[in-house]
Amino acid sequence: MSTTRPIASEKPSGPRSRKGAETRARLVSAAKEVFERDGFLDARISDIAERAGLSHGSFYHYFESKEEVFREVAAEVDERLSAPLEKVILDPSSTASPYERIHEAIKLNLESYRDEARIMGVIEQVARFDQQANASRFERHRKYLAEIADSIRNLQRHGLIDDRLNPTIAAAGLGSMTYRFPEMWFVQGLFDCDFDEGVDQLTLLFARALGLREGPAAPSGTGQLEAQGQQA
């Protein structure tokens, strides 16, 4: 059965007011719950609308299809998982050492992934067959990797990590590790360990791959060097 709008018409206008924005957000939240419960293929627009307290027809004022609302759910979750990059790793006001930033960012990322494990399992599945969903994730991840590569260059400029590393390749390799690790842990259950140990081990792998000093102790002032490099 098709999940797209049954009658061809103009693209839904979407929210034009605060109330409309709140209703749209309610639909996205409801859709997330339904996708978590039923998976993507078995989720129905009528269930999403009912969960949001709306009529089936009202759904189409905000979204054209189940696929469209799913992509918005996936985008919101991805933004939450990537938040530590901006708030911790790239924070120009931070006085933490690079190692401490990496540790805190990994901890926050894994906490968020653990909380979102049910929907992340669905997102990972859908991204493998929905080209548009996959393309949207690809663009977001490419942006994140570019920012990580810039951060690596800044650390190299200040002599804090191995200058033999190609920042673009290093960012891609480390990014792949941090994307795949939580899926194996929280979604697929391929291994299990204490949460803090998982954070510490992933941080250690990340830091050693960069040739970064192990542990939070670092030369005086290095906590601000990356931020200074970003502002240079």
Side-chain angles (χ1 to χ4, degrees), residues 96-130:
S97 72
Y99 192 98
E100 290 171 326
R101 293 192 197 197
I102 292 170
H103 185 276
E104 181 65 13
I106 286 176
K107 178 183 177 183
L108 293 174
N109 176 266
L110 291 178
E111 285 177 343
S112 294
Y113 201 112
R114 181 181 59 185
D115 293 343
E116 302 286 9
R118 286 186 300 168
I119 191 63
M120 282 306 301
V122 181
I123 291 171
E124 297 293 357
Q125 291 173 356
V126 174
R128 290 180 171 93
F129 67 79
D130 185 316

PDB file of all heavy atoms in Angstrom, residues 96-130:
ATOM      1  N   ALA A  96      39.210  22.833  28.693  1.00  0.00           N
ATOM      2  CA  ALA A  96      39.557  21.426  28.863  1.00  0.00           C
ATOM      3  C   ALA A  96      40.643  21.037  27.868  1.00  0.00           C
ATOM      4  O   ALA A  96      40.765  21.616  26.790  1.00  0.00           O
ATOM      5  CB  ALA A  96      38.326  20.551  28.658  1.00  0.00           C
ATOM      6  N   SER A  97      41.435  20.028  28.236  1.00  0.00           N
ATOM      7  CA  SER A  97      42.459  19.531  27.324  1.00  0.00           C
ATOM      8  C   SER A  97      41.790  18.806  26.160  1.00  0.00           C
ATOM      9  O   SER A  97      40.627  18.388  26.264  1.00  0.00           O
ATOM     10  CB  SER A  97      43.386  18.562  28.060  1.00  0.00           C
ATOM     11  OG  SER A  97      42.705  17.338  28.324  1.00  0.00           O
ATOM     12  N   PRO A  98      42.491  18.622  25.036  1.00  0.00           N
ATOM     13  CA  PRO A  98      41.912  17.860  23.920  1.00  0.00           C
ATOM     14  C   PRO A  98      41.435  16.478  24.339  1.00  0.00           C
ATOM     15  O   PRO A  98      40.375  16.022  23.907  1.00  0.00           O
ATOM     16  CB  PRO A  98      43.067  17.790  22.922  1.00  0.00           C
ATOM     17  CG  PRO A  98      43.846  19.041  23.170  1.00  0.00           C
ATOM     18  CD  PRO A  98      43.779  19.225  24.665  1.00  0.00           C
ATOM     19  N   TYR A  99      42.215  15.791  25.181  1.00  0.00           N
ATOM     20  CA  TYR A  99      41.815  14.455  25.633  1.00  0.00           C
ATOM     21  C   TYR A  99      40.504  14.532  26.414  1.00  0.00           C
ATOM     22  O   TYR A  99      39.610  13.702  26.226  1.00  0.00           O
ATOM     23  CB  TYR A  99      42.908  13.827  26.509  1.00  0.00           C
ATOM     24  CG  TYR A  99      42.694  12.352  26.783  1.00  0.00           C
ATOM     25  CD1 TYR A  99      43.357  11.387  26.032  1.00  0.00           C
ATOM     26  CD2 TYR A  99      41.822  11.919  27.787  1.00  0.00           C
ATOM     27  CE1 TYR A  99      43.160  10.035  26.270  1.00  0.00           C
ATOM     28  CE2 TYR A  99      41.618  10.578  28.024  1.00  0.00           C
ATOM     29  CZ  TYR A  99      42.296   9.635  27.268  1.00  0.00           C
ATOM     30  OH  TYR A  99      42.081   8.291  27.505  1.00  0.00           O
ATOM     31  N   GLU A 100      40.392  15.503  27.302  1.00  0.00           N
ATOM     32  CA  GLU A 100      39.168  15.650  28.097  1.00  0.00           C
ATOM     33  C   GLU A 100      37.970  15.957  27.209  1.00  0.00           C
ATOM     34  O   GLU A 100      36.864  15.468  27.458  1.00  0.00           O
ATOM     35  CB  GLU A 100      39.353  16.753  29.138  1.00  0.00           C
ATOM     36  CG  GLU A 100      40.319  16.390  30.250  1.00  0.00           C
ATOM     37  CD  GLU A 100      40.654  17.571  31.143  1.00  0.00           C
ATOM     38  OE1 GLU A 100      40.719  18.709  30.633  1.00  0.00           O
ATOM     39  OE2 GLU A 100      40.863  17.355  32.353  1.00  0.00           O
ATOM     40  N   ARG A 101      38.183  16.762  26.183  1.00  0.00           N
ATOM     41  CA  ARG A 101      37.085  17.078  25.265  1.00  0.00           C
ATOM     42  C   ARG A 101      36.617  15.823  24.529  1.00  0.00           C
ATOM     43  O   ARG A 101      35.414  15.595  24.382  1.00  0.00           O
ATOM     44  CB  ARG A 101      37.535  18.114  24.237  1.00  0.00           C
ATOM     45  CG  ARG A 101      37.835  19.484  24.789  1.00  0.00           C
ATOM     46  CD  ARG A 101      37.969  20.444  23.635  1.00  0.00           C
ATOM     47  NE  ARG A 101      38.636  21.677  24.032  1.00  0.00           N
ATOM     48  CZ  ARG A 101      38.599  22.784  23.321  1.00  0.00           C
ATOM     49  NH1 ARG A 101      37.929  22.811  22.191  1.00  0.00           N
ATOM     50  NH2 ARG A 101      39.236  23.864  23.713  1.00  0.00           N
ATOM     51  N   ILE A 102      37.577  15.062  24.037  1.00  0.00           N
ATOM     52  CA  ILE A 102      37.228  13.828  23.321  1.00  0.00           C
ATOM     53  C   ILE A 102      36.459  12.889  24.236  1.00  0.00           C
ATOM     54  O   ILE A 102      35.432  12.320  23.852  1.00  0.00           O
ATOM     55  CB  ILE A 102      38.496  13.145  22.771  1.00  0.00           C
ATOM     56  CG1 ILE A 102      39.111  13.995  21.663  1.00  0.00           C
ATOM     57  CG2 ILE A 102      38.174  11.744  22.251  1.00  0.00           C
ATOM     58  CD1 ILE A 102      40.479  13.527  21.216  1.00  0.00           C
ATOM     59  N   HIS A 103      36.932  12.730  25.454  1.00  0.00           N
ATOM     60  CA  HIS A 103      36.270  11.830  26.411  1.00  0.00           C
ATOM     61  C   HIS A 103      34.839  12.287  26.691  1.00  0.00           C
ATOM     62  O   HIS A 103      33.902  11.474  26.670  1.00  0.00           O
ATOM     63  CB  HIS A 103      37.070  11.786  27.711  1.00  0.00           C
ATOM     64  CG  HIS A 103      36.542  10.800  28.712  1.00  0.00           C
ATOM     65  ND1 HIS A 103      35.511  11.105  29.581  1.00  0.00           N
ATOM     66  CD2 HIS A 103      36.883   9.503  28.971  1.00  0.00           C
ATOM     67  CE1 HIS A 103      35.246  10.051  30.338  1.00  0.00           C
ATOM     68  NE2 HIS A 103      36.061   9.069  29.992  1.00  0.00           N
ATOM     69  N   GLU A 104      34.660  13.583  26.927  1.00  0.00           N
ATOM     70  CA  GLU A 104      33.324  14.096  27.241  1.00  0.00           C
ATOM     71  C   GLU A 104      32.389  13.977  26.039  1.00  0.00           C
ATOM     72  O   GLU A 104      31.211  13.622  26.182  1.00  0.00           O
ATOM     73  CB  GLU A 104      33.415  15.557  27.684  1.00  0.00           C
ATOM     74  CG  GLU A 104      32.082  16.201  28.057  1.00  0.00           C
ATOM     75  CD  GLU A 104      31.410  15.586  29.272  1.00  0.00           C
ATOM     76  OE1 GLU A 104      32.085  14.816  30.001  1.00  0.00           O
ATOM     77  OE2 GLU A 104      30.221  15.868  29.497  1.00  0.00           O
ATOM     78  N   ALA A 105      32.918  14.266  24.848  1.00  0.00           N
ATOM     79  CA  ALA A 105      32.094  14.184  23.641  1.00  0.00           C
ATOM     80  C   ALA A 105      31.665  12.742  23.375  1.00  0.00           C
ATOM     81  O   ALA A 105      30.504  12.487  23.025  1.00  0.00           O
ATOM     82  CB  ALA A 105      32.850  14.738  22.445  1.00  0.00           C
ATOM     83  N   ILE A 106      32.575  11.801  23.524  1.00  0.00           N
ATOM     84  CA  ILE A 106      32.241  10.395  23.318  1.00  0.00           C
ATOM     85  C   ILE A 106      31.219   9.934  24.352  1.00  0.00           C
ATOM     86  O   ILE A 106      30.261   9.217  24.023  1.00  0.00           O
ATOM     87  CB  ILE A 106      33.519   9.527  23.374  1.00  0.00           C
ATOM     88  CG1 ILE A 106      34.329   9.730  22.089  1.00  0.00           C
ATOM     89  CG2 ILE A 106      33.183   8.046  23.568  1.00  0.00           C
ATOM     90  CD1 ILE A 106      35.665   9.007  22.076  1.00  0.00           C
ATOM     91  N   LYS A 107      31.401  10.360  25.589  1.00  0.00           N
ATOM     92  CA  LYS A 107      30.447   9.982  26.638  1.00  0.00           C
ATOM     93  C   LYS A 107      29.045  10.485  26.311  1.00  0.00           C
ATOM     94  O   LYS A 107      28.067   9.728  26.396  1.00  0.00           O
ATOM     95  CB  LYS A 107      30.903  10.558  27.984  1.00  0.00           C
ATOM     96  CG  LYS A 107      29.938  10.253  29.127  1.00  0.00           C
ATOM     97  CD  LYS A 107      30.411  10.908  30.430  1.00  0.00           C
ATOM     98  CE  LYS A 107      29.413  10.659  31.552  1.00  0.00           C
ATOM     99  NZ  LYS A 107      29.822  11.350  32.806  1.00  0.00           N
ATOM    100  N   LEU A 108      28.925  11.747  25.937  1.00  0.00           N
ATOM    101  CA  LEU A 108      27.615  12.316  25.622  1.00  0.00           C
ATOM    102  C   LEU A 108      26.996  11.651  24.392  1.00  0.00           C
ATOM    103  O   LEU A 108      25.795  11.394  24.344  1.00  0.00           O
ATOM    104  CB  LEU A 108      27.741  13.825  25.397  1.00  0.00           C
ATOM    105  CG  LEU A 108      28.120  14.665  26.623  1.00  0.00           C
ATOM    106  CD1 LEU A 108      28.353  16.111  26.222  1.00  0.00           C
ATOM    107  CD2 LEU A 108      27.032  14.579  27.693  1.00  0.00           C
ATOM    108  N   ASN A 109      27.826  11.384  23.394  1.00  0.00           N
ATOM    109  CA  ASN A 109      27.339  10.724  22.181  1.00  0.00           C
ATOM    110  C   ASN A 109      26.801   9.331  22.482  1.00  0.00           C
ATOM    111  O   ASN A 109      25.717   8.950  22.015  1.00  0.00           O
ATOM    112  CB  ASN A 109      28.455  10.654  21.143  1.00  0.00           C
ATOM    113  CG  ASN A 109      28.044   9.884  19.905  1.00  0.00           C
ATOM    114  OD1 ASN A 109      28.290   8.677  19.807  1.00  0.00           O
ATOM    115  ND2 ASN A 109      27.436  10.553  18.951  1.00  0.00           N
ATOM    116  N   LEU A 110      27.546   8.563  23.279  1.00  0.00           N
ATOM    117  CA  LEU A 110      27.115   7.203  23.604  1.00  0.00           C
ATOM    118  C   LEU A 110      25.884   7.206  24.508  1.00  0.00           C
ATOM    119  O   LEU A 110      25.015   6.336  24.381  1.00  0.00           O
ATOM    120  CB  LEU A 110      28.258   6.425  24.259  1.00  0.00           C
ATOM    121  CG  LEU A 110      29.440   6.088  23.348  1.00  0.00           C
ATOM    122  CD1 LEU A 110      30.523   5.359  24.146  1.00  0.00           C
ATOM    123  CD2 LEU A 110      28.993   5.233  22.168  1.00  0.00           C
ATOM    124  N   GLU A 111      25.798   8.170  25.405  1.00  0.00           N
ATOM    125  CA  GLU A 111      24.594   8.283  26.241  1.00  0.00           C
ATOM    126  C   GLU A 111      23.371   8.542  25.367  1.00  0.00           C
ATOM    127  O   GLU A 111      22.309   7.923  25.561  1.00  0.00           O
ATOM    128  CB  GLU A 111      24.760   9.411  27.258  1.00  0.00           C
ATOM    129  CG  GLU A 111      25.674   9.076  28.424  1.00  0.00           C
ATOM    130  CD  GLU A 111      25.875  10.244  29.365  1.00  0.00           C
ATOM    131  OE1 GLU A 111      25.581  11.398  28.975  1.00  0.00           O
ATOM    132  OE2 GLU A 111      26.337  10.014  30.502  1.00  0.00           O
ATOM    133  N   SER A 112      23.515   9.450  24.407  1.00  0.00           N
ATOM    134  CA  SER A 112      22.396   9.766  23.517  1.00  0.00           C
ATOM    135  C   SER A 112      22.035   8.570  22.652  1.00  0.00           C
ATOM    136  O   SER A 112      20.857   8.266  22.449  1.00  0.00           O
ATOM    137  CB  SER A 112      22.747  10.965  22.632  1.00  0.00           C
ATOM    138  OG  SER A 112      22.889  12.132  23.400  1.00  0.00           O
ATOM    139  N   TYR A 113      23.030   7.879  22.120  1.00  0.00           N
ATOM    140  CA  TYR A 113      22.774   6.715  21.276  1.00  0.00           C
ATOM    141  C   TYR A 113      22.076   5.621  22.085  1.00  0.00           C
ATOM    142  O   TYR A 113      21.132   4.983  21.603  1.00  0.00           O
ATOM    143  CB  TYR A 113      24.079   6.186  20.680  1.00  0.00           C
ATOM    144  CG  TYR A 113      23.877   5.349  19.435  1.00  0.00           C
ATOM    145  CD1 TYR A 113      24.298   5.808  18.199  1.00  0.00           C
ATOM    146  CD2 TYR A 113      23.250   4.102  19.480  1.00  0.00           C
ATOM    147  CE1 TYR A 113      24.102   5.060  17.047  1.00  0.00           C
ATOM    148  CE2 TYR A 113      23.062   3.348  18.340  1.00  0.00           C
ATOM    149  CZ  TYR A 113      23.489   3.833  17.131  1.00  0.00           C
ATOM    150  OH  TYR A 113      23.292   3.078  16.001  1.00  0.00           O
ATOM    151  N   ARG A 114      22.528   5.418  23.310  1.00  0.00           N
ATOM    152  CA  ARG A 114      21.897   4.415  24.172  1.00  0.00           C
ATOM    153  C   ARG A 114      20.434   4.766  24.414  1.00  0.00           C
ATOM    154  O   ARG A 114      19.556   3.892  24.345  1.00  0.00           O
ATOM    155  CB  ARG A 114      22.643   4.345  25.510  1.00  0.00           C
ATOM    156  CG  ARG A 114      22.085   3.323  26.490  1.00  0.00           C
ATOM    157  CD  ARG A 114      22.888   3.347  27.793  1.00  0.00           C
ATOM    158  NE  ARG A 114      22.861   4.664  28.425  1.00  0.00           N
ATOM    159  CZ  ARG A 114      23.555   4.983  29.514  1.00  0.00           C
ATOM    160  NH1 ARG A 114      24.347   4.080  30.070  1.00  0.00           N
ATOM    161  NH2 ARG A 114      23.465   6.190  30.044  1.00  0.00           N
ATOM    162  N   ASP A 115      20.155   6.050  24.655  1.00  0.00           N
ATOM    163  CA  ASP A 115      18.772   6.480  24.876  1.00  0.00           C
ATOM    164  C   ASP A 115      17.929   6.325  23.617  1.00  0.00           C
ATOM    165  O   ASP A 115      16.713   6.108  23.698  1.00  0.00           O
ATOM    166  CB  ASP A 115      18.741   7.945  25.323  1.00  0.00           C
ATOM    167  CG  ASP A 115      19.358   8.150  26.700  1.00  0.00           C
ATOM    168  OD1 ASP A 115      19.516   7.160  27.441  1.00  0.00           O
ATOM    169  OD2 ASP A 115      19.686   9.310  27.017  1.00  0.00           O
ATOM    170  N   GLU A 116      18.558   6.485  22.451  1.00  0.00           N
ATOM    171  CA  GLU A 116      17.836   6.453  21.176  1.00  0.00           C
ATOM    172  C   GLU A 116      18.036   5.132  20.435  1.00  0.00           C
ATOM    173  O   GLU A 116      17.796   5.054  19.225  1.00  0.00           O
ATOM    174  CB  GLU A 116      18.316   7.606  20.279  1.00  0.00           C
ATOM    175  CG  GLU A 116      18.150   8.989  20.871  1.00  0.00           C
ATOM    176  CD  GLU A 116      16.692   9.448  20.881  1.00  0.00           C
ATOM    177  OE1 GLU A 116      15.798   8.620  20.587  1.00  0.00           O
ATOM    178  OE2 GLU A 116      16.451  10.629  21.174  1.00  0.00           O
ATOM    179  N   ALA A 117      18.449   4.090  21.137  1.00  0.00           N
ATOM    180  CA  ALA A 117      18.823   2.836  20.475  1.00  0.00           C
ATOM    181  C   ALA A 117      17.682   2.251  19.642  1.00  0.00           C
ATOM    182  O   ALA A 117      17.911   1.743  18.536  1.00  0.00           O
ATOM    183  CB  ALA A 117      19.294   1.813  21.507  1.00  0.00           C
ATOM    184  N   ARG A 118      16.440   2.338  20.127  1.00  0.00           N
ATOM    185  CA  ARG A 118      15.332   1.739  19.372  1.00  0.00           C
ATOM    186  C   ARG A 118      15.125   2.420  18.032  1.00  0.00           C
ATOM    187  O   ARG A 118      15.020   1.758  16.988  1.00  0.00           O
ATOM    188  CB  ARG A 118      14.038   1.786  20.198  1.00  0.00           C
ATOM    189  CG  ARG A 118      14.000   0.779  21.344  1.00  0.00           C
ATOM    190  CD  ARG A 118      12.632   0.783  22.007  1.00  0.00           C
ATOM    191  NE  ARG A 118      12.300   2.104  22.556  1.00  0.00           N
ATOM    192  CZ  ARG A 118      11.096   2.462  22.991  1.00  0.00           C
ATOM    193  NH1 ARG A 118      10.079   1.606  22.917  1.00  0.00           N
ATOM    194  NH2 ARG A 118      10.884   3.660  23.497  1.00  0.00           N
ATOM    195  N   ILE A 119      15.092   3.754  18.041  1.00  0.00           N
ATOM    196  CA  ILE A 119      14.878   4.447  16.770  1.00  0.00           C
ATOM    197  C   ILE A 119      16.129   4.383  15.906  1.00  0.00           C
ATOM    198  O   ILE A 119      16.032   4.336  14.667  1.00  0.00           O
ATOM    199  CB  ILE A 119      14.445   5.918  17.001  1.00  0.00           C
ATOM    200  CG1 ILE A 119      13.955   6.542  15.683  1.00  0.00           C
ATOM    201  CG2 ILE A 119      15.569   6.738  17.603  1.00  0.00           C
ATOM    202  CD1 ILE A 119      12.735   5.883  15.088  1.00  0.00           C
ATOM    203  N   MET A 120      17.314   4.339  16.515  1.00  0.00           N
ATOM    204  CA  MET A 120      18.537   4.246  15.719  1.00  0.00           C
ATOM    205  C   MET A 120      18.587   2.923  14.967  1.00  0.00           C
ATOM    206  O   MET A 120      19.066   2.866  13.830  1.00  0.00           O
ATOM    207  CB  MET A 120      19.769   4.387  16.608  1.00  0.00           C
ATOM    208  CG  MET A 120      20.086   5.815  17.013  1.00  0.00           C
ATOM    209  SD  MET A 120      20.248   6.959  15.598  1.00  0.00           S
ATOM    210  CE  MET A 120      21.575   6.192  14.670  1.00  0.00           C
ATOM    211  N   GLY A 121      18.068   1.862  15.574  1.00  0.00           N
ATOM    212  CA  GLY A 121      18.008   0.590  14.867  1.00  0.00           C
ATOM    213  C   GLY A 121      17.162   0.700  13.610  1.00  0.00           C
ATOM    214  O   GLY A 121      17.513   0.152  12.552  1.00  0.00           O
ATOM    215  N   VAL A 122      16.048   1.427  13.711  1.00  0.00           N
ATOM    216  CA  VAL A 122      15.167   1.620  12.556  1.00  0.00           C
ATOM    217  C   VAL A 122      15.844   2.523  11.524  1.00  0.00           C
ATOM    218  O   VAL A 122      15.808   2.254  10.325  1.00  0.00           O
ATOM    219  CB  VAL A 122      13.819   2.224  12.996  1.00  0.00           C
ATOM    220  CG1 VAL A 122      12.900   2.409  11.784  1.00  0.00           C
ATOM    221  CG2 VAL A 122      13.142   1.338  14.040  1.00  0.00           C
ATOM    222  N   ILE A 123      16.476   3.591  11.988  1.00  0.00           N
ATOM    223  CA  ILE A 123      17.141   4.531  11.078  1.00  0.00           C
ATOM    224  C   ILE A 123      18.244   3.832  10.291  1.00  0.00           C
ATOM    225  O   ILE A 123      18.376   4.016   9.070  1.00  0.00           O
ATOM    226  CB  ILE A 123      17.713   5.726  11.855  1.00  0.00           C
ATOM    227  CG1 ILE A 123      16.573   6.603  12.396  1.00  0.00           C
ATOM    228  CG2 ILE A 123      18.647   6.556  10.986  1.00  0.00           C
ATOM    229  CD1 ILE A 123      17.020   7.685  13.367  1.00  0.00           C
ATOM    230  N   GLU A 124      19.035   3.024  10.976  1.00  0.00           N
ATOM    231  CA  GLU A 124      20.125   2.319  10.290  1.00  0.00           C
ATOM    232  C   GLU A 124      19.569   1.383   9.222  1.00  0.00           C
ATOM    233  O   GLU A 124      20.139   1.245   8.138  1.00  0.00           O
ATOM    234  CB  GLU A 124      20.967   1.531  11.304  1.00  0.00           C
ATOM    235  CG  GLU A 124      21.676   2.369  12.355  1.00  0.00           C
ATOM    236  CD  GLU A 124      22.775   3.254  11.792  1.00  0.00           C
ATOM    237  OE1 GLU A 124      23.049   3.188  10.577  1.00  0.00           O
ATOM    238  OE2 GLU A 124      23.366   4.024  12.563  1.00  0.00           O
ATOM    239  N   GLN A 125      18.449   0.737   9.502  1.00  0.00           N
ATOM    240  CA  GLN A 125      17.840  -0.168   8.528  1.00  0.00           C
ATOM    241  C   GLN A 125      17.310   0.602   7.320  1.00  0.00           C
ATOM    242  O   GLN A 125      17.574   0.240   6.170  1.00  0.00           O
ATOM    243  CB  GLN A 125      16.707  -0.959   9.177  1.00  0.00           C
ATOM    244  CG  GLN A 125      17.162  -1.980  10.199  1.00  0.00           C
ATOM    245  CD  GLN A 125      15.994  -2.618  10.927  1.00  0.00           C
ATOM    246  OE1 GLN A 125      14.833  -2.245  10.726  1.00  0.00           O
ATOM    247  NE2 GLN A 125      16.283  -3.579  11.786  1.00  0.00           N
ATOM    248  N   VAL A 126      16.561   1.668   7.584  1.00  0.00           N
ATOM    249  CA  VAL A 126      15.932   2.421   6.501  1.00  0.00           C
ATOM    250  C   VAL A 126      16.982   3.095   5.624  1.00  0.00           C
ATOM    251  O   VAL A 126      16.840   3.165   4.395  1.00  0.00           O
ATOM    252  CB  VAL A 126      14.949   3.461   7.064  1.00  0.00           C
ATOM    253  CG1 VAL A 126      14.401   4.359   5.952  1.00  0.00           C
ATOM    254  CG2 VAL A 126      13.802   2.760   7.788  1.00  0.00           C
ATOM    255  N   ALA A 127      18.054   3.594   6.234  1.00  0.00           N
ATOM    256  CA  ALA A 127      19.091   4.281   5.470  1.00  0.00           C
ATOM    257  C   ALA A 127      19.747   3.363   4.444  1.00  0.00           C
ATOM    258  O   ALA A 127      20.342   3.845   3.477  1.00  0.00           O
ATOM    259  CB  ALA A 127      20.149   4.849   6.408  1.00  0.00           C
ATOM    260  N   ARG A 128      19.598   2.064   4.633  1.00  0.00           N
ATOM    261  CA  ARG A 128      20.221   1.117   3.704  1.00  0.00           C
ATOM    262  C   ARG A 128      19.388   0.904   2.440  1.00  0.00           C
ATOM    263  O   ARG A 128      19.898   0.384   1.457  1.00  0.00           O
ATOM    264  CB  ARG A 128      20.470  -0.211   4.412  1.00  0.00           C
ATOM    265  CG  ARG A 128      21.573  -0.120   5.467  1.00  0.00           C
ATOM    266  CD  ARG A 128      21.815  -1.459   6.171  1.00  0.00           C
ATOM    267  NE  ARG A 128      22.991  -1.404   7.022  1.00  0.00           N
ATOM    268  CZ  ARG A 128      23.001  -1.100   8.308  1.00  0.00           C
ATOM    269  NH1 ARG A 128      21.865  -0.783   8.898  1.00  0.00           N
ATOM    270  NH2 ARG A 128      24.111  -1.073   9.000  1.00  0.00           N
ATOM    271  N   PHE A 129      18.089   1.289   2.482  1.00  0.00           N
ATOM    272  CA  PHE A 129      17.273   1.110   1.266  1.00  0.00           C
ATOM    273  C   PHE A 129      16.577   2.385   0.800  1.00  0.00           C
ATOM    274  O   PHE A 129      16.113   2.456  -0.339  1.00  0.00           O
ATOM    275  CB  PHE A 129      16.237  -0.016   1.451  1.00  0.00           C
ATOM    276  CG  PHE A 129      15.158   0.265   2.458  1.00  0.00           C
ATOM    277  CD1 PHE A 129      14.069   1.071   2.145  1.00  0.00           C
ATOM    278  CD2 PHE A 129      15.219  -0.292   3.727  1.00  0.00           C
ATOM    279  CE1 PHE A 129      13.059   1.319   3.065  1.00  0.00           C
ATOM    280  CE2 PHE A 129      14.210  -0.058   4.661  1.00  0.00           C
ATOM    281  CZ  PHE A 129      13.128   0.756   4.323  1.00  0.00           C
ATOM    282  N   ASP A 130      16.491   3.400   1.654  1.00  0.00           N
ATOM    283  CA  ASP A 130      15.870   4.664   1.256  1.00  0.00           C
ATOM    284  C   ASP A 130      16.978   5.613   0.806  1.00  0.00           C
ATOM    285  O   ASP A 130      17.723   6.145   1.628  1.00  0.00           O
ATOM    286  CB  ASP A 130      15.102   5.259   2.438  1.00  0.00           C
ATOM    287  CG  ASP A 130      14.324   6.521   2.073  1.00  0.00           C
ATOM    288  OD1 ASP A 130      14.880   7.380   1.362  1.00  0.00           O
ATOM    289  OD2 ASP A 130      13.170   6.657   2.501  1.00  0.00           O
TER     290      ASP A 130
END
